């Protein structure tokens, strides 16, 4: 990282090179002329004009060395700050986009719609915020709100005064079946010794209202309240309401919104990178101080400016499992693949003398699961058990061979070279047995790690997902639905 002094000295040299008249000052025509000559073409006039407008602080048509350096360094800092902020925002949106894609994949596989086009487990979310101008009739009010939806009834906490504001979150969920139900909101006055008094009320139909609940967004609305005779009371109730009738449609809309934001931010990042390159281009010494290894942005393909970890994978290429950053660095899985490769080599050697087809099938099974991205904690644990069975079979074989050698049966003729081969194979089997026992230990440890990582949230394994979610009482899972711009979205 170049120091301020180094930048100052390099820019001072650049200024002296630009100063054609050698008078310590530079006019607009001189600057444009030299900028063009230094890059061998016309320097970007828009950036040049903006630079000059900031350089000529005194508006005298001339700039000094201090003015020149001050504005260039300020422009550099501004562009770098915009680039860093843009990259940070992009990273957050990429993460949110990936989480939404995972969420959408799960919902597409599990969502079921009824005859009314409403998904099973659909919920209406209502948040009571405040009320205004409640009629007190000369007495102190202790208002609370009852919410009735279909056969369900809930109520807020008790507040005070004609303009109550509920500081605690008053959030309620109601199951929706048809989308034509009414939400009945009643404002009551609490009285400790007499029945509660109804102050005002309002009914809200899901399908027929003054706003569009069908867009599945969170609506912040003020409702006019009516007295018990059906007349406007002059009071109002502020609520937030949202109805997600299809998680798939909702998440698709959210995903489209994220994609639009990502596209816009990628273009902004590309433009900031280009502007910085253009700013550096005429000033060789300054550029060398600040951009070691800096490459000119590729104008033909904005995606090239995206960090490698976020570029879209080539769908024509085979995607290996455990390539997600969380598991790609798992040294235990790398060790397991090495151990199985070593066991495969031993198995092929042993096959010349002893049938080792069970081990061969297990090895083939492991690499098939790996190739088709089907490994998870349960399959890894099963492989460990099967390798344990193969170890048991080899222990029995070694025992039988040992008994045969120790028995020294005089009636059986041994061919010397056959005995040597038998001993060599036995040694290989013992080595394979030790390696498999170590493999089994690592398989069970990896299985436990994966179980801890994927419970209860989701881990992505390169476009395929392991989803851990309690499938019992699925319809009772509380939907946390918010505007996607508000982050985060949890919608299982």
């Amino acid at each position: 990282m170049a120091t301020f002094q180094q930048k100052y000295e390099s820019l001072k040299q650049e200024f002296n090179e630009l100063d054609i008249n050698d008078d310590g000052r530079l006019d607009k025509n001189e600057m444009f002329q030299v900028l063009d000559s230094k890059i061998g073409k016309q320097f970007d006039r828009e950036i040049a004009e903006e630079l000059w407008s900031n350089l000529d602080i005194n508006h005298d048509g001339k700039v000094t060395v201090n003015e020149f350096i001050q504005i260039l360094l300020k422009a550099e800092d501004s562009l770098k700050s915009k680039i860093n902020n843009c990259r940070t925002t992009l990273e957050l949106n990429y993460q949110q986009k990936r989480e939404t894609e995972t969420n959408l994949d799960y919902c597409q596989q599990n969502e079921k719609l009824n005859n009314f086009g409403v998904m099973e487990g659909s919920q209406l979310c209502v948040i009571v915020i405040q009320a205004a101008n409640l009629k007190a009739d000369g007495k102190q009010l202790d208002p609370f709100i009852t919410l009735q939806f279909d056969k369900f009834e809930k109520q807020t906490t008790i507040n005070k005064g004609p303009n109550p504001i509920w500081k605690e979150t008053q959030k309620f969920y109601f199951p929706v079946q048809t989308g034509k139900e009414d939400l009945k909101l009643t404002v009551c006055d609490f009285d400790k010794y007499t029945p509660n008094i109804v102050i005002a009320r309002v009914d809200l139909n899901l399908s027929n209202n003054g706003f569009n609940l069908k867009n599945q967004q969170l609506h912040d609305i003020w409702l006019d309240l009516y007295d018990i005779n059906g007349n406007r009371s002059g009071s109002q109730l502020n609520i937030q309401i949202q109805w997600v009738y299809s998680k798939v449609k909702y998440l698709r809309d959210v995903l489209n919104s994220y994609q639009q934001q990502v596209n816009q931010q990628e273009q902004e990042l590309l433009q900031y990178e280009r502007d910085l390159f253009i700013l550096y281009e005429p000033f060789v010494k300054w550029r060398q101080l600040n951009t070691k290894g800096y490459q000119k942005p590729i104008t033909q393909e904005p995606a090239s400016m995206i960090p490698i970890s976020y570029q879209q994978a080539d769908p024509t290429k085979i995607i290996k499992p455990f390539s997600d950053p969380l598991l790609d660095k798992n040294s235990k899985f790398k060790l397991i693949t090495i151990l199985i490769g070593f066991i495969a080599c031993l198995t092929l050697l042993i096959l010349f003398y002893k049938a080792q087809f069970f081990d061969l099938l297990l090895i083939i099974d492991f690499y098939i699961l790996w190739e088709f991205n089907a490994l998870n904690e349960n399959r890894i644990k099963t492989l460990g058990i099967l390798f344990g069975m193969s170890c048991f079979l080899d222990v029995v074989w070694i025992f039988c061979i040992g008994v045969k050698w120790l028995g020294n049966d005089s009636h059986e003729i041994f061919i010397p070279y056959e005995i040597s081969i038998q001993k060599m194979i036995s040694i290989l089997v013992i080595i394979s047995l030790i390696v498999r026992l170590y493999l089994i230990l690592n398989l069970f440890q990896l299985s436990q790690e994966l179980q801890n990582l994927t419970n209860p949230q989701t881990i992505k394994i390169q476009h395929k997902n392991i989803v851990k979610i309690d499938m019992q009482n699925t319809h009772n899972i509380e939907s946390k639905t918010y505007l996607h711009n508000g982050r985060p979205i949890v919608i299982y």
Side-chain angles (χ1 to χ4, degrees), residues 114-130:
N114 61 22
N115 295 332
F116 297 95
V118 178
M119 69 179 182
E120 295 180 2
S122 173
Q123 291 183 316
L124 176 70
C125 174
V126 183
I127 305 173
V128 179
I129 308 295
Q130 59 183 315

Side-chain angles (χ1 to χ4, degrees), residues 70-333:
Q70 180 183 359
I71 295 303
L72 285 180
L73 292 178
K74 184 177 179 181
E76 178 195 30
D77 289 342
S78 176
L79 284 172
K80 283 186 174 180
S81 176
K82 290 177 180 178
I83 288 171
N84 291 333
N85 291 338
C86 197
R87 284 176 176 167
T88 301
T89 305
L90 261 177
E91 183 176 352
L92 179 60
N93 279 329
Y94 283 130
Q95 179 183 352
Q96 292 286 343
K97 185 170 174 285
R98 289 195 300 270
E99 291 174 356
T100 304
E101 288 171 343
T102 301
N103 216 335
L104 178 59
D105 288 342
Y106 173 76
C107 291
Q108 285 176 329
Q109 296 173 13
N110 294 276
E111 181 174 276
K112 296 179 181 179
L113 301 180
N114 61 22
N115 295 332
F116 297 95
V118 178
M119 69 179 182
E120 295 180 2
S122 173
Q123 291 183 316
L124 176 70
C125 174
V126 183
I127 305 173
V128 179
I129 308 295
Q130 59 183 315
N133 301 321
L134 298 179
K135 304 303 180 184
D137 292 334
K139 67 173 185 176
Q140 181 179 348
L141 278 175
D142 299 310
F144 65 93
I145 313 296
T146 63
L147 302 89
Q148 185 176 354
F149 187 85
D150 200 10
K151 57 184 178 182
F152 301 94
E153 184 173 321
K154 301 179 182 182
Q155 72 177 43
T156 67
T157 57
I158 299 171
N159 214 314
K160 291 187 178 295
N163 300 292
I165 299 175
W166 280 268
K167 295 181 180 180
E168 298 178 1
T169 302
Q170 304 290 305
K171 183 183 292 186
F172 306 96
Y173 290 94
F174 300 96
V176 181
Q177 297 296 325
T178 67
K180 299 180 179 179
E181 294 91 342
D182 289 327
L183 173 65
K184 298 181 179 180
L185 301 158
T186 305
V187 184
C188 301
D189 181 25
F190 173 76
D191 194 303
K192 187 175 181 179
Y193 302 105
T194 61
N196 298 325
I197 301 173
V198 175
I199 301 174
R201 62 179 53 164
V202 64
D203 293 347
L204 184 66
N205 186 270
L206 292 191
S207 60
N208 184 18
N209 48 67
F211 52 94
N212 183 20
L213 274 179
K214 278 285 189 177
N215 65 11
Q216 305 192 94
Q217 299 301 310
L218 186 67
H219 297 268
D220 191 318
I221 58 174
W222 282 89
L223 299 171
D224 291 326
L225 297 176
Y226 298 83
D227 59 24
I228 56 176
N229 298 318
N231 301 318
R232 287 183 182 271
S233 63
S235 306
Q236 290 183 310
L237 179 64
N238 179 209
I239 65 170
Q240 291 180 344
I241 185 169
Q242 185 175 24
W243 175 37
V244 175
Y245 62 88
S246 171
K247 292 178 182 178
V248 171
K249 184 180 183 303
Y250 176 74
L251 289 173
R252 282 175 180 166
D253 292 341
V254 172
L255 199 57
N256 289 335
S257 176
Y258 278 136
Q259 188 59 57
Q260 291 174 5
Q261 293 178 41
V262 164
N263 291 342
Q264 181 180 354
Q265 289 158 358
E266 287 173 354
Q267 292 298 325
E268 289 179 1
L269 176 60
L270 183 62
Q271 187 59 52
Y272 293 147
E273 292 276 9
R274 286 172 178 165
D275 289 347
L276 185 60
F277 178 83
I278 291 170
L279 185 67
Y280 283 149
E281 194 171 15
F283 310 107
V284 178
K285 296 182 179 66
W286 186 34
R287 183 172 73 240
Q288 290 173 347
L289 281 174
N290 292 278
T291 57
K292 289 184 178 181
Y294 187 85
Q295 299 293 326
K296 181 177 179 179
I298 301 174
T299 58
Q300 299 293 330
E301 184 57 55
S304 63
M305 299 301 297
I306 305 171
I308 282 294
S309 58
Y310 300 124
Q311 290 188 21
Q312 185 174 6
D314 184 352
T316 63
K317 294 182 180 179
I318 297 176
I319 299 169
K320 302 296 184 187
F322 295 93
S323 55
D324 186 273
L326 184 62
L327 295 176
D328 188 40
K329 299 177 181 178
N330 194 308
S331 57
K332 193 171 296 297
F333 178 74

Side-chain angles (χ1 to χ4, degrees), residues 310-403:
Y310 300 124
Q311 290 188 21
Q312 185 174 6
D314 184 352
T316 63
K317 294 182 180 179
I318 297 176
I319 299 169
K320 302 296 184 187
F322 295 93
S323 55
D324 186 273
L326 184 62
L327 295 176
D328 188 40
K329 299 177 181 178
N330 194 308
S331 57
K332 193 171 296 297
F333 178 74
K334 294 179 180 178
L335 175 62
I336 286 171
T337 57
I338 293 172
L339 291 175
I340 290 182
F342 182 60
I343 293 170
C345 295
L346 292 175
T347 302
L348 292 175
L349 291 173
I350 296 169
L351 277 173
F352 284 102
Y353 183 83
K354 173 183 176 291
Q356 202 78 353
F357 296 114
F358 186 60
D359 284 356
L360 191 61
L361 287 174
L362 289 179
I363 293 165
I364 294 172
D365 183 49
F366 172 82
Y367 282 107
I368 288 175
L369 291 174
W370 179 53
E371 188 71 22
F372 287 93
N373 208 15
L375 282 171
N376 57 33
E377 68 271 18
N378 291 328
R379 290 194 174 105
I380 290 173
K381 189 181 295 183
T382 302
L383 281 172
I385 295 172
L386 293 175
F387 271 111
M389 293 174 59
S390 78
C391 289
F392 174 76
L393 295 176
D394 280 347
V395 169
V396 173
W397 184 84
I398 293 170
F399 176 77
C400 293
I401 291 296
V403 170

Side-chain angles (χ1 to χ4, degrees), residues 9-75:
E9 293 297 333
S10 66
L11 285 172
K12 188 174 181 179
Q13 293 179 16
E14 300 282 1
F15 178 85
N16 293 333
E17 293 175 8
L18 290 172
D19 186 9
I20 298 175
N21 298 328
D22 197 24
D23 58 357
R25 297 171 68 82
L26 192 70
D27 62 30
K28 184 175 181 180
N29 291 333
E30 284 179 329
M31 190 181 85
F32 283 17
Q33 179 182 348
V34 176
L35 287 176
D36 293 346
S37 63
K38 286 179 73 67
I39 64 174
K41 60 181 180 180
Q42 180 172 297
F43 187 81
D44 189 294
R45 283 295 180 261
E46 183 178 350
I47 294 180
E49 289 286 353
E50 185 175 354
L51 277 174
W52 180 258
S53 65
N54 289 291
L55 281 168
D56 189 13
I57 300 174
N58 301 327
H59 301 289
D60 58 357
K62 293 281 187 176
V63 295
T64 64
V65 63
N66 288 330
E67 291 173 337
F68 181 78
I69 293 175
Q70 180 183 359
I71 295 303
L72 285 180
L73 292 178
K74 184 177 179 181

